[in-house]
Amino acid sequence: MNWFTKTFSSTVGRKIVMSVTGLFLCSFLVVHLLGNLQLFRNDGGEAFNLYSDFMAHNGLIRTMEWVLLAGFAFHIYDALVLTRRNQAARPIPYQNNHPEENSSWASRNMGLLGTVILVFLIIHLYNFLIPARFDGLDPVNIDDVEYENLYAEVVYAFKQWWYVLIYVLGMIALAYHLIHGFQSAFQTLGLNHKKYTPFIQMFGYAFSVIVCLAFAAIPLYFFFFV
């Protein structure tokens, strides 16, 4: 086993991979949110369908989808490995252990939060990505050009109360996951300083809440107002 493999299979190496992939996935959230905000435009879904068509047929975007998939895979796999290592290192919990005194609820339940997010992601991909990529959607005419009407799928999905509930719960789990993970990622990468850490924590908290609230607002808007 060479030094590169040893480094990134060690606990410290896996934490670095977790941090880098986590921050990369945060950048994806911003891009994805900016595209989804087209749904709020009062144009019958025209802007969103044009955006979806661009994302589906742009070669660079399609390549980045594989990079994104790899980022998710590494992030999830390293999370599982690190969790098992932590459990193996401490198979018997301390008798007088009060973790709530020195750690947040989110930090103690990152595995649970990650599982909820993964379940949401699978359901979300099943509802939108698979029909758009493989099943083919009904066409809609925009400026005498036919595009797949993904907007209609969004409207239908967000009129289902159970899916809106799953989506909102997924965003709540994601917010808590990000609140801890954002600051933890910078700390793992060595960017921990008494002068900058408070700002990173504040920015991470604001990022987590604002992004997840914006995502959650989309299904609620369609369910109650469209």
Side-chain angles (χ1 to χ4, degrees):
M1 185 181 292
N2 58 39
W3 68 269
F4 182 85
T5 305
K6 286 182 179 179
T7 299
F8 286 95
S9 62
S10 67
T11 298
V12 173
R14 291 195 181 280
K15 286 183 177 180
I16 291 174
V17 172
M18 278 273 292
S19 301
V20 172
T21 54
L23 293 174
F24 168 69
L25 294 174
C26 285
S27 68
F28 158 74
L29 285 174
V30 174
V31 175
H32 191 49
L33 176 61
L34 292 175
N36 283 4
L37 290 178
Q38 304 300 316
L39 289 164
F40 286 115
R41 297 184 63 170
N42 188 24
D43 60 359
E46 181 175 310
F48 180 73
N49 282 329
L50 291 174
Y51 156 75
S52 300
D53 183 77
F54 170 78
M55 297 294 286
H57 296 96
N58 183 278
L60 178 60
I61 299 298
R62 296 303 298 272
T63 301
M64 286 302 299
E65 285 182 354
W66 290 103
V67 177
L68 180 64
L69 179 62
F72 273 113
F74 278 113
H75 195 75
I76 295 169
Y77 178 74
D78 280 344
L80 292 173
V81 172
L82 289 171
T83 299
R84 293 187 64 182
R85 287 183 180 180
N86 289 337
Q87 292 174 343
R90 190 179 298 170
I92 301 176
Y94 296 129
Q95 291 183 349
N96 297 316
N97 189 24
H98 300 283
E100 67 278 359
E101 296 178 359
N102 52 26
S103 63
S104 66
W105 180 87
S107 67
R108 300 192 305 274
N109 292 276
M110 288 295 277
L112 172 63
L113 294 170
T115 301
V116 173
I117 295 167
L118 180 60
V119 171
F120 160 77
L121 184 61
I122 292 171
I123 296 172
H124 189 61
L125 292 176
Y126 178 80
N127 275 275
F128 293 113
L129 183 64
I130 292 178
R133 290 288 189 271
F134 305 107
D135 294 344
L137 302 174
D138 293 334
V140 60
N141 189 287
I142 302 176
D143 296 331
D144 297 324
V145 179
E146 285 193 345
Y147 297 89
E148 290 189 330
N149 194 1
L150 186 59
Y151 179 80
E153 293 291 312
V154 171
V155 173
Y156 174 77
F158 291 155
K159 285 298 183 182
Q160 314 301 313
W161 69 266
W162 59 269
Y163 186 68
V164 173
L165 179 62
I166 289 173
Y167 199 107
V168 172
L169 290 177
M171 290 305 101
I172 292 173
L174 179 61
Y176 277 106
H177 192 80
L178 290 175
I179 286 171
H180 172 71
F182 194 93
Q183 182 260 330
S184 179
F186 282 92
Q187 184 174 347
T188 298
L189 296 173
L191 303 175
N192 191 25
H193 190 277
K194 63 181 181 180
K195 183 178 181 180
Y196 306 113
T197 297
F199 171 77
I200 292 173
Q201 291 175 334
M202 181 178 65
F203 180 84
Y205 187 90
F207 174 88
S208 306
V209 172
I210 292 172
V211 168
C212 293
L213 272 178
F215 272 116
I218 297 172
L220 292 173
Y221 167 75
F222 277 86
F223 185 76
F224 288 107
F225 302 112
V226 176

